[in-house]
Amino acid sequence: MTVLRDLYPAIEPYASGMLDVGDGHSIYWERSGTPGKKPAVFLHGGPGGGISPAHRSLFHPEHYDVLLFDQRGCGRS
């Protein structure tokens, strides 16, 4: 039996930006949670998708320092 849990409260990113990945392309990234805590990287589902505020709520903000990014050609990238 799979048990789904509630999301953590909504939080805003503490940093965000665009990362130059060469050949005129850049990807959007953001960090949320607590700087210096356990690192976590979030990868969204792929083309047609993008990161959303709900994705930040998947991780306990006091326990993780989360890096989320949109792959090239998706979301804000």
Side-chain angles (χ1 to χ4, degrees):
M1 180 173 138
T2 302
V3 177
L4 298 176
R5 63 164 182 79
D6 292 331
L7 296 176
Y8 293 102
I11 58 171
E12 293 299 316
Y14 66 81
S16 64
M18 299 298 289
L19 175 65
D20 182 352
V21 293
D23 294 328
H25 300 283
S26 58
I27 59 172
Y28 173 79
W29 61 269
E30 63 183 40
R31 289 179 69 181
S32 63
T34 303
K37 291 295 183 171
K38 190 172 189 175
V41 175
F42 178 82
L43 309 171
H44 67 73
I51 56 175
S52 74
H55 293 137
R56 293 182 220 126
S57 297
L58 296 170
F59 301 88
H60 193 300
E62 294 176 7
H63 298 170
Y64 292 94
D65 184 355
V66 186
L67 171 64
L68 305 97
F69 66 92
D70 282 330
Q71 66 177 301
R72 199 172 91 180
C74 297
R76 289 172 263 187
S77 292

